[in-house]
Structures are given as C-alpha cells and as structure tokens.
C-alpha cells in the first residue's frame, strides 16, 4: 500500500511541478525558440530577455531577436534580426556526443546573408549563433518547443 501511495505522490508532484520530462521531439523543420539571453562579441551579455524568438516552419524563418555588434559593411536599410523570409541550405546533424541536434541554415534579409547555427538539446535548452555577412556574430540561449508545420 505504501508503494502505491508513494507512486501516486511522485506522479502528482511530477505532473504539477514540471518534474516530468517533456515527450516533445525536436523537429528540425518545425520548432520555436524563446530567446532569453544574448551574448554579443563586443558588448556585455544580456539576461532575462522577453518577447524575442526564432521560429522555423513551412520553409520560413521568423526571426525577432535583439542584435548588438559591429558592422563591417554598414547597411542603412538593415533593421536587424526582425524578419520573416524563406531559409535555404538547411542541414541537420548531431553533436559529437549524440546529445543534441544541430541545425544550420541561411536566410537572406535585404543585402545581408545570415547563417544560423542552432544546437537543440533534449532538455529543451537551445544555443543559437547568428553570423551576418556584414557584421560580427552574436550568440543566444533559450528553450525550444515543437511547432506544427
């Protein structure tokens, strides 16, 4: 009887408090990342970010992320990392320990080409690095959720 009560208590605690590991599977062509931290190369890190994200779905990337970095070639019409465009050159792989999925793709926004590298772990932790063709790279962290295509 004690074992049944213990099992029910563990189940209730894990369900109510989020102990249970999510059964979501990371899908490289359909995911959403809530960005919470930014790590620019030439500036201090920013923590506790809200309302910033990266979403891949239906062959498009919806990007709404802050950016700080030095531009090598200024673009006066460049409004940063706020756009929705089709991506190309999507590649999917695993890290050396087979613990994470690595997704890389390109997006052209105006005259700037962006190379995105996303590392998504099964615990939903996500690392993003963006390489603009005209400026310094910038890195981000956040958590992914699956989306429907």
């Amino acid at each position: 009887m004690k074992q049944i009560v213990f099992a029910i208590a563990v189940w209730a605690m894990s369900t109510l408090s989020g102990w249970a590991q999510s059964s979501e599977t990371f899908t490289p062509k359909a995911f959403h990342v809530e960005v919470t931290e930014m790590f620019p190369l030439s500036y201090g890190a920013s923590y506790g970010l809200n309302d910033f994200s990266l979403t891949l779905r239906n062959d498009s990337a919806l990007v709404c992320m802050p950016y700080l970095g030095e531009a090598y070639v200024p673009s006066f019409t460049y409004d940063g990392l706020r756009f929705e465009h089709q991506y190309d050159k999507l590649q999917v792989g695993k890290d050396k320990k087979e613990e994470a999925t690595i997704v890389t793709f390109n997006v052209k926004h105006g005259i700037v080409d962006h190379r995105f590298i996303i590392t998504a772990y099964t615990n939903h932790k996500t690392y993003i690095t963006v390489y603009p063709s005209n400026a310094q790279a910038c890195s981000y962290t956040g958590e992914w959720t699956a989306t429907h295509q």
Side-chain angles (χ1 to χ4, degrees):
M1 183 67 173
K2 286 183 180 180
Q3 292 174 336
I4 293 173
V5 170
F6 179 74
I8 292 171
V10 169
W11 172 81
M13 288 172 38
S14 67
T15 302
L16 296 175
S17 68
W19 278 8
Q21 184 67 276
S22 172
S23 62
E24 276 186 307
T25 302
F26 181 79
T27 306
K29 291 186 177 182
F31 64 89
H32 174 82
V33 178
E34 286 293 325
V35 174
T36 57
E37 300 171 341
M38 176 178 62
F39 304 94
L41 288 178
S42 298
Y43 301 93
S46 296
Y47 302 96
L49 301 176
N50 293 312
D51 300 325
F52 296 108
S53 63
L54 167 70
T55 304
L56 238 61
R57 141 177 104 231
N58 299 330
D59 296 332
S60 292
L62 173 59
V63 181
C64 181
M65 298 190 305
Y67 176 80
L68 285 174
E70 295 181 21
Y72 306 130
V73 179
S75 171
F76 296 105
T77 61
Y78 183 67
D79 54 356
L81 298 174
R82 297 179 190 279
F83 53 81
E84 182 173 9
H85 294 297
Q86 283 193 325
Y87 61 81
D88 63 358
K89 298 183 182 174
L90 180 77
Q91 297 176 339
V92 180
K94 290 284 190 179
D95 69 340
K96 290 180 182 177
K97 296 181 180 180
E98 298 285 323
E99 294 175 349
T101 301
I102 300 172
V103 179
T104 60
F105 60 91
N106 294 343
V107 177
K108 185 165 184 76
H109 177 56
I111 65 168
V112 181
D113 293 314
H114 297 86
R115 178 80 171 155
F116 288 82
I117 300 175
I118 292 98
T119 305
Y121 291 88
T122 56
N123 67 357
H124 293 254
K125 189 73 171 166
T126 309
Y127 297 94
I128 302 169
T129 303
V130 181
Y131 297 93
S133 61
N134 71 330
Q136 290 179 326
C138 193
S139 296
Y140 306 85
T141 62
E143 293 199 5
W144 67 265
T145 55
T147 62
H148 302 288
Q149 286 193 354

